[in-house]
Amino acid sequence: MIRFGWKQSVVWLVLLAGFGLQGVAQQVSYEHATPQQLAGITKDNSRHFGDDPDDGGPIATDLSASLDPAAVGRAMRKVGDWQLARSEQYFDRIWTWSVLYSGFMAASDSLGDAKYRDAMEAMGKKFDWQLRSHLPDADDQSVGQTYLELYLLKKDPAMMKPTQVELDALLPEPHASKKPGKPVIWWWCDALFMAPPVWSRMYAATGDRKYIGYLDEEWAKTSDLLYDKQEHLYARDADYLAKTEANGKKMFWSRGNGWVMGGIVRTLDYLPKDDPARGKYVAQLKEMAARVASLQGPDGLWRAGMLDPGNYSEPEISGSALFTYALAWGINHGVLDGKVYRPVVAKAWAGMLKHVYVDGRLGCIQQTGAEPAPFKATASYTYGVGAFLMAGSEIRGMGVSPAATKKGHKPS
């Protein structure tokens, strides 16, 4: 049972009044969660990003931890089919959905199955290929990754023009954050997954290097601000530069660092080979990969707080999947040594499969937030599934040349 002081109790009563009594049982089953964290979970669930039932049923026993492409594909289909069936009616353009869409696109490419990609095309048509807002921040740009990937496959200008209009509108704007107190446009490390891959894909779609110039300029600002050159990890944002874990070590959030590593590889996928900044992205990926591998848990996974894993009872799948995705990509593209990192990937994949339920639910995914927080073993959210599908797609390509696993739409 959670115990609150009188001030917390008042907040708790307000929350109950606001959310109703339905779901109280699942709320109070969290240990060490603050009322604010519980409110965030309730909000996420109400927006259909996912849910966290008290009982997710039994864990699947029909999946193999083998890295054989067929075995990996079966796990991807089990999780992907479960997610598509339960969420397609709620598709939206917010970042929590766009990460799932990226996973669906990767899964269709890897599995040679148009089902997920067809669902993405239907989603794009539903929203007339528009981004979520005018002059969008990084989060609201993120759905453009899927729009542009579809454009690069089908060459239908309607799929890319609205995104191009919005990116072009940002170029003459002052290159400074509109959020008070934040010194750069991409002021939170998550932004490096959400926006830069859109800009590199727009370059691939148009051949115009102005998009790469903007990308390189803004990434450098964020890296200079948030990248710890000793730890080779990113602070979530400037507010976390001095924040520490219970053990006194610096707070580095696994999903936040997963966003960065995933963002690097998704940017490199479409970045011109002769871009002057390309070497910096590769160097940072190598540094982060070495540090992340050194922090891998005995179960193959990473806790939400990377430098204080003992303070977190469950592994966190969204961050773990993003790390796995980036490491497998690095192996596939000759950036990371397969002899060193293939065992890391294999251990991580085996660990993630232990959190797949019989029906296909992928558990142990932390709700939205900005730092490590409590969550249930059953908690499943869209972006974690997207990361899992991206990881599986790259694992299926390990040992196969990138040219053989991709559709030939990357710039040379």
Side-chain angles (χ1 to χ4, degrees):
M1 178 180 294
I2 300 175
R3 300 183 185 279
F4 298 116
W6 72 268
K7 290 183 179 179
Q8 289 178 307
S9 297
V10 170
V11 174
W12 180 238
L13 289 172
V14 170
L15 286 170
L16 291 181
F19 301 133
L21 294 179
Q22 183 178 3
V24 169
Q26 68 107 20
Q27 294 262 7
V28 300
S29 68
Y30 281 92
E31 294 182 2
H32 313 301
T34 67
Q36 291 75 19
Q37 289 166 342
L38 293 170
I41 293 166
T42 298
K43 183 177 180 180
D44 281 0
N45 294 359
S46 72
R47 299 177 78 180
H48 307 289
F49 298 165
D51 62 11
D52 57 341
D54 287 333
D55 183 3
I59 295 294
T61 58
D62 60 342
L63 300 177
S64 168
S66 167
L67 299 190
D68 174 76
V72 175
R74 283 192 292 273
M76 291 170 62
R77 288 180 188 278
K78 188 178 188 71
V79 172
D81 288 353
W82 174 85
Q83 186 69 68
L84 183 62
R86 78 195 307 265
S87 63
E88 189 168 12
Q89 63 180 311
Y90 302 116
F91 281 173
D92 200 349
R93 290 169 290 178
I94 195 169
W95 69 267
T96 53
W97 289 101
S98 65
V99 179
L100 175 64
Y101 303 158
S102 293
F104 280 149
M105 291 294 291
S108 269
D109 280 355
S110 175
L111 298 171
D113 185 344
K115 171 176 56 180
Y116 304 121
R117 186 166 54 244
D118 289 347
M120 296 301 88
E121 186 170 354
M123 177 276 300
K125 290 177 179 177
K126 173 184 175 181
F127 294 116
D128 295 323
W129 309 101
Q130 299 286 333
L131 301 185
R132 189 165 176 260
S133 63
H134 178 54
L135 298 176
D137 66 6
D139 287 345
D140 284 0
Q141 292 170 37
S142 59
V143 72
Q145 296 182 43
T146 296
Y147 294 164
L148 289 166
E149 287 177 12
L150 286 165
Y151 167 77
L152 289 165
L153 287 170
K154 301 206 169 185
K155 304 299 183 183
D156 180 352
M159 295 174 169
M160 61 86 70
K161 281 297 182 183
T163 300
Q164 185 177 23
V165 167
E166 290 300 341
L167 298 192
D168 286 350
L170 289 170
L171 286 168
E173 286 275 302
H175 291 190
S177 173
K178 296 179 180 179
K179 188 174 180 65
K182 303 300 181 184
V184 298
I185 291 175
W186 296 336
W187 56 266
W188 68 115
C189 72
D190 319 31
L192 298 182
F193 183 96
M194 306 303 164
V198 178
W199 292 82
S200 66
R201 282 159 177 73
M202 185 58 74
Y203 160 74
T206 64
D208 194 329
R209 284 182 174 261
K210 68 185 180 182
Y211 301 111
I212 298 300
Y214 182 94
L215 186 169
D216 289 343
E217 175 187 340
E218 296 308 323
W219 188 300
K221 293 176 185 177
T222 302
S223 180
D224 288 345
L225 178 66
L226 301 180
Y227 186 55
D228 189 308
K229 294 180 175 59
Q230 284 70 50
E231 293 287 355
H232 293 160
L233 296 169
Y234 270 75
R236 195 273 178 174
D237 60 59
D239 292 341
Y240 289 84
L241 290 172
K243 196 163 185 175
T244 58
E245 295 277 9
N247 65 0
K249 293 184 179 180
K250 292 181 180 179
M251 180 177 284
F252 292 109
W253 186 31
S254 63
R255 185 160 74 227
N257 281 276
W259 288 135
V260 176
M261 290 182 68
I264 291 174
V265 304
R266 289 182 65 76
T267 298
L268 286 171
D269 256 339
Y270 292 84
L271 201 70
K273 302 297 184 185
D274 62 350
D275 179 43
R278 188 179 183 92
K280 295 179 182 179
Y281 299 128
V282 170
Q284 195 165 90
L285 177 63
K286 289 180 175 179
E287 289 180 350
M288 294 186 74
R291 184 60 170 133
V292 164
S294 76
L295 297 170
Q296 187 176 31
D299 59 357
L301 305 175
W302 290 263
R303 266 50 185 175
M306 298 185 70
L307 301 189
D308 192 8
N311 195 40
Y312 301 92
S313 59
E314 299 285 354
E316 204 289 308
I317 296 297
S318 63
S320 296
L322 288 164
F323 291 149
T324 307
Y325 165 56
L327 295 175
W329 185 99
I331 294 168
N332 289 341
H333 289 76
V335 174
L336 299 177
D337 186 344
K339 292 181 180 178
V340 174
Y341 290 102
R342 187 182 177 95
V344 179
V345 169
K347 192 175 180 181
W349 185 249
M352 286 191 284
L353 294 188
K354 294 177 182 177
H355 298 276
V356 177
Y357 290 78
V358 165
D359 62 358
R361 169 185 293 273
L362 179 65
C364 273
I365 299 171
Q366 185 188 327
Q367 64 276 3
T368 62
E371 63 181 34
F375 54 88
K376 291 181 185 177
T378 61
S380 187
Y381 295 97
T382 52
Y383 42 85
V385 171
F388 178 85
L389 294 175
M390 285 185 273
S393 297
E394 285 298 330
I395 290 171
R396 279 173 52 85
M398 289 202 310
V400 181
S401 70
T405 59
K406 302 298 180 183
K407 298 288 184 187
H409 50 261
K410 307 275 193 299
S412 60

